[in-house]
Every structure is written in structure tokens, then in C-alpha cells.
Amino acid sequence: TSVQNSEAIERLIDIVRSRLHRKPVVVLSATANTTNTLIECAKIASGGNYEKAYDILRAIKEKHLRIVRELFCNNEKIINELSDKLKLIVDDLRDVVKGIYLLSELSQRSIAKVSSFGELFSTLIISYALNDRDIHTELIDARNFMVTNNNYSNAEPVFEEIIDKARKILQPYIDSGKVVVTQGFIAATSDGITTTFSRGGSDYSASVIGMALDAEEIEIWTDVDGILTADPRKVQNTKIIKEISFKEAAELAYFGAKVLHPSAILPAIEKNIPVRILNSCSPEKDGTLISSDIKTRSDKNRFLIKSITSKSNITVLNIYSPKMLLAYGFLKKVFEVFDKHETSVDLVTTSEVNVSVTLDNNAITGDGNLLEIEKELSVFSEVSVDKDKSLVCVVGSDLKYIPGITGRIFNSLNDYNISMISQGASIINISFVVDSKDLDLVLQTLHKEFFENDHNN
Ligand code: ASP
Ligand code: MG
């Protein structure tokens, strides 16, 4: 969305200009919705409707040509030159889509190829716009240095190669005072086959590049003011978190705080590079700073609890085995079953003869898989399944320093049914399970308790 139309691109140019003294590398996503549309187009082509796929391609081309006309309204020469280049890329895309149509087949490799075009369009246009506005820019195809494995549409970076290539290929331009522009999200195998990271992966690309080049800071420019104290679709009066630690942010990303790609901060953590989330529509706002140590910073005492998150739609399995009293190997047997079914478990609570685990419904590959798991566990235990449950997680790295914090959390939730209370050893989160029907009220109640009376926190 930060590059969705010519207005957004003008704002982006101002942002880049304001950072020139810091020698930025600009990592761009596709224009809003283009990646979705491209994937849709590929699906339609593989389903046999070439006409419709072709119409979609035409619309994508038109959308980008319109941006070009708006950005360079009085420069016919640039408009023509850039339009010709865009049309050549669209021709390539059309060939790929035609191939998918002819084969009626859509592999992950083809999906990666098709979805890479969104970033090719956006970077071409924006590198022209930057140069036109006197910001000396070099467009570098990410596939020249962003090396991944061949898990085509969900690829993993090969860090050693990326570090080596990014330094050789990007650094000289940066040193010469140019702004390097490159594509987020897209990459290539060492054989040069186009790959992509998972969806939303341009944040991740930026972080990988920042790590490879030892950047001073990684800025993620998005369309919200930063990371919020709770999901605004579920909770009212949410606030922006000013500063948050890597660990806390990782916890939130896992819980689906949509602001960041879940892996985006991992490369930054590696090199201890601060990550800032900023709003490209209001660049003057401070956003959220994610860094390793925030204890020494000014607002230490402001919000000890950083955020309240949740995962709706989980299943709880209670595994009870009185025979296991004082015997060993119970947990091993239990987890072997999950291992066999490649099902990941989120929260675990145990007593001597009972283990309860939560499973993310999205991670259960169909009902059959759950039934199988139940059946195998039943061989040595009694199993009960609770559906319609939700997981709530209170995140804050200083939780262990706050006397009475658990009391305060649960006192405020007296009216609700709570189970599986668990406090991670790192004590950056306290999690528990509630009935899904109560989730929104639980979140709102906790948010009120901790964020709506500032003096309390
Ligand atoms: N364009 C890609 C996507 O839509 C990557 C990104 O936007 O971060 O998933
Ligand atoms: Mg994005």
C-alpha cells in the first residue's frame, strides 16, 4: 500500500529523500493487491479460461501504465520509454500465463514465477521516478543476489551466498552515493530459477538485506502507525506500542499481529539491528521501535505489558492416564504421536497424570488427522477434545518484575472460564485458554485493565 498509486509513490520519494544521508537501500513490494491478482490470474489460466486470465493481465498492465502517466505527466519521452519497458515485462508474463494455460497445471514453481512480476513492475516504475526527481538510483534485480533453496513459493534464504553477493553487488553502488532499489519478496535459486518468500515477504527481504549489509536500522514502511496493544478488530481504544523487544515482537508476530511478516525480524536479531515500523501515510509519526534492549529507555515504566493477543479457533486435547502415575515416558509417548502426524503443539500444561495441549486448527490437516491422533493417544490414555476454544496471550518482557501481575490478570477475568494457564520460562508471556464465545470480552476487559488507565501500569 505504500506504493499503491502515484500519490503514495510521491510520498515514498519524499521519505527516501529525507533519509539520503543514511545511504538507504530501498526494498519494494508490489503495488497493493497486485500479487493477489497475479495469483488469481494464474489459477484461472490453469483452470482453462485463458480469455479471463488475459483480461486480468490487461487490467494489471493498465493499472501500472496509469501510474506511469500520473507520475510523469509532462514528460512524454519518459512515459514512452517506461511504457515500452513495462510492455516487454507484460509480454513475458503473458507467455508464462499462456504456458500455465496450455499445460492446465499450476506448480509452486509457476506460482512463484507469476507472482514475482508485481515487484518487477513496481521497482521499474519507482526507480525511474526517483531518478526523475534527482535521486540517483540504481535498480538491481533481487534475483542477482537473493539466493534461496528451491522451495519455490515459500523459499528459505541461503545466507552465506546472499551476504557475499549483496556486498559485492550492492555495496559499490551504495559507496558511490547511489540509492539502490530492489524487489522485496522475490529471489532465485542458485540456478537462477525465480522463487519467492511466503506472502508478505518483502519485509523479510528488507531484513535479510539489512543483515547482509550490516545496516544501521531497518525501516518497514506500511499503512499503520505501528504495532498495537491489541487487535483493533477485536478491541477498542488500542494504542501504538512505542518500543518493544525482539522477543516480544516475535511472540506477537507468531500470534498473527498482521503488521509484520512472522520471520521479518529474525535476520535483524542475528545482527542486533533495530527495526522500526513506520506509516508511509504519516511519516512524521514515531512508529514502533523493535530492538534488543529497551530496559534503559525512557518509557520503561509506562507499559510493562506490551500487548494482548489471541488465537481464535484452537482445539484443546486433554490426555489423561492414571496408569502413568509415577511411571516415566508418558510425555514422550504423547509427543511421539504429534510428531508422527507432523502436528505442532502450541501450549502445553501438565500434571502427574494429565497433559493438555492446544492445537492450532489451521495446523491440523483435516479432521481425519485429529481423529487419528485421538485414536493413537487412546491406546494408552483417555482423551477428551474441547473445540471452540481460543488462546489468549499477554506479552511483556518485564512480566517477572511485576509483583501481583498474574493476580491482576485473573482477577479482572473473574467472570470467565479459564484453563491451561501457562507462563513461559522466559516470562515474556502469560497464556491461557478461554471459550471462543468469550474471547472478545476477555480481550477488551484485559485491555481496559492494563491500557486504559495509564497510571495503573
Ligand atoms: N507482494 C508480496 C505479497 O503481496 C510481498 C509483500 O507485499 O510483502 O505477498
Ligand atoms: Mg507487505
Side-chain angles (χ1 to χ4, degrees):
T1 46
S2 297
V3 293
Q4 64 184 342
N5 52 31
S6 58
E7 266 167 62
I9 295 172
E10 297 289 5
R11 277 197 301 271
L12 171 143
I13 294 170
D14 289 339
I15 293 168
V16 174
R17 198 188 301 286
S18 71
R19 261 72 180 166
L20 283 179
H21 61 288
R22 297 181 78 182
K23 299 183 174 247
V25 172
V26 181
V27 182
L28 296 172
S29 171
T31 56
N33 239 334
T34 298
T35 314
N36 287 337
T37 314
L38 286 166
I39 293 172
E40 173 78 15
C41 172
K43 286 186 178 152
I44 288 170
S46 75
N49 193 342
Y50 187 66
E51 297 275 288
K52 190 159 173 215
Y54 188 85
D55 284 346
I56 295 177
L57 287 185
R58 212 168 23 219
I60 293 176
K61 179 168 93 179
E62 257 322 300
K63 168 171 153 185
H64 288 91
L65 288 176
R66 193 178 335 118
I67 295 179
V68 168
R69 286 193 296 268
E70 285 173 16
L71 279 174
F72 305 98
C73 52
N74 36 30
N75 194 333
E76 279 303 315
K77 185 171 162 279
I78 293 195
I79 294 181
N80 291 336
E81 186 181 322
L82 191 46
S83 302
D84 287 347
K85 287 197 179 175
L86 277 173
K87 283 175 193 155
L88 284 179
I89 306 180
V90 174
D91 288 346
D92 281 350
L93 171 59
R94 191 177 302 116
D95 288 347
V96 176
V97 171
K98 181 105 193 227
I100 292 170
Y101 160 74
L102 290 173
L103 295 170
S104 317
E105 184 179 83
L106 189 57
S107 63
Q108 291 306 313
R109 182 163 156 167
S110 309
I111 289 194
K113 180 77 185 176
V114 171
S115 52
S116 71
F117 280 85
E119 274 71 11
L120 296 180
F121 296 135
S122 68
T123 48
L124 178 66
I125 296 173
I126 291 164
S127 63
Y128 261 79
L130 286 162
N131 273 317
D132 182 61
R133 273 68 167 176
D134 291 328
I135 296 177
H136 300 293
T137 301
E138 190 70 30
L139 172 58
I140 296 181
D141 193 313
R143 292 169 294 186
N144 294 337
F145 64 88
M146 193 63 94
V147 185
T148 66
N149 66 4
N150 64 359
N151 200 352
Y152 299 104
S153 61
N154 192 5
E156 295 287 337
V158 183
F159 284 105
E160 314 82 76
E161 288 192 47
I162 295 170
I163 292 172
D164 186 50
K165 293 195 168 178
R167 288 184 186 162
K168 283 198 186 112
I169 299 173
L170 306 187
Q171 196 64 50
Y173 289 109
I174 301 170
D175 292 342
S176 77
K178 279 195 161 181
V179 171
V180 170
V181 169
T182 189
Q183 299 85 15
F185 181 56
I186 79 173
T189 62
S190 48
D191 301 334
I193 308 294
T194 300
T195 60
T196 68
F197 296 122
S198 60
R199 293 300 311 276
S202 49
D203 303 353
Y204 184 52
S205 299
S207 188
V208 170
I209 294 171
M211 186 217 70
L213 297 176
D214 284 320
E216 207 170 86
E217 190 166 289
I218 295 158
E219 296 181 342
I220 311 280
W221 288 89
T222 176
D223 55 2
V224 293
D225 287 341
I227 303 182
L228 293 169
T229 49
D231 182 344
R233 287 164 305 182
K234 295 189 180 127
V235 175
Q236 291 171 5
N237 304 325
T238 54
K239 302 187 161 99
I240 302 293
I241 305 172
K242 284 197 165 157
E243 294 182 352
I244 186 168
S245 70
F246 283 131
K247 280 186 187 157
E248 292 167 328
E251 200 85 33
L252 296 184
Y254 164 73
F255 273 93
K258 287 278 165 344
V259 183
L260 264 186
H261 184 272
S263 309
I265 56 173
L266 300 180
I269 295 179
E270 185 92 357
K271 289 266 183 83
N272 211 348
I273 303 172
V275 178
R276 208 180 277 278
I277 317 275
L278 293 154
N279 188 345
S280 62
C281 291
S282 334
E284 71 294 346
K285 292 195 177 145
D286 293 335
T288 298
L289 177 65
I290 312 172
S291 62
S292 63
D293 185 24
I294 50 165
K295 288 224 179 64
T296 54
R297 293 182 202 268
S298 52
D299 70 351
K300 180 190 167 199
N301 292 316
R302 231 174 102 66
F303 293 124
L304 292 169
I305 285 190
K306 290 296 163 45
S307 185
I308 298 160
T309 62
S310 63
K311 222 178 211 188
S312 30
N313 252 324
I314 59 155
T315 297
V316 174
L317 280 185
N318 300 299
I319 305 146
Y320 174 67
S321 184
K323 276 185 292 193
M324 292 313 291
L325 185 66
L326 300 178
Y328 57 83
F330 179 38
L331 290 177
K332 177 164 186 261
K333 276 170 123 172
V334 168
F335 286 106
E336 265 166 6
V337 175
F338 293 109
D339 185 38
K340 182 171 156 203
H341 291 277
E342 295 179 358
T343 301
S344 95
V345 161
D346 289 335
L347 203 63
V348 184
T349 55
T350 63
S351 71
E352 177 63 27
V353 292
N354 181 85
V355 184
S356 295
V357 302
T358 68
L359 307 175
D360 185 340
N361 287 357
N362 299 322
I364 307 175
T365 48
D367 266 352
N369 163 312
L370 184 61
L371 287 176
E372 274 301 304
I373 291 175
E374 259 186 86
K375 202 167 113 197
E376 288 176 34
L377 290 170
S378 301
V379 173
F380 58 92
S381 57
E382 287 165 31
V383 185
S384 69
V385 179
D386 295 332
K387 295 203 169 168
D388 303 320
K389 294 284 184 184
S390 291
L391 189 56
V392 177
C393 176
V394 178
V395 176
S397 54
D398 291 325
L399 290 185
K400 67 178 155 189
Y401 303 119
I402 315 175
I405 191 78
T406 36
R408 220 175 125 193
I409 293 174
F410 296 113
N411 273 334
S412 70
L413 300 178
N414 263 338
D415 297 339
Y416 304 99
N417 205 350
I418 288 171
S419 60
M420 289 190 69
I421 298 170
S422 154
Q423 187 164 3
S426 61
I427 326 208
I428 66 164
N429 85 58
I430 294 174
S431 308
F432 50 90
V433 170
V434 299
D435 295 336
S436 289
K437 66 174 176 30
D438 295 335
L439 178 64
D440 288 2
L441 277 171
V442 164
L443 293 174
Q444 190 69 64
T445 306
L446 280 175
H447 196 269
K448 224 181 186 141
E449 172 72 22
F450 289 103
F451 295 106
E452 289 173 43
N453 306 313
D454 286 15
H455 64 277
N456 266 343
N457 198 311

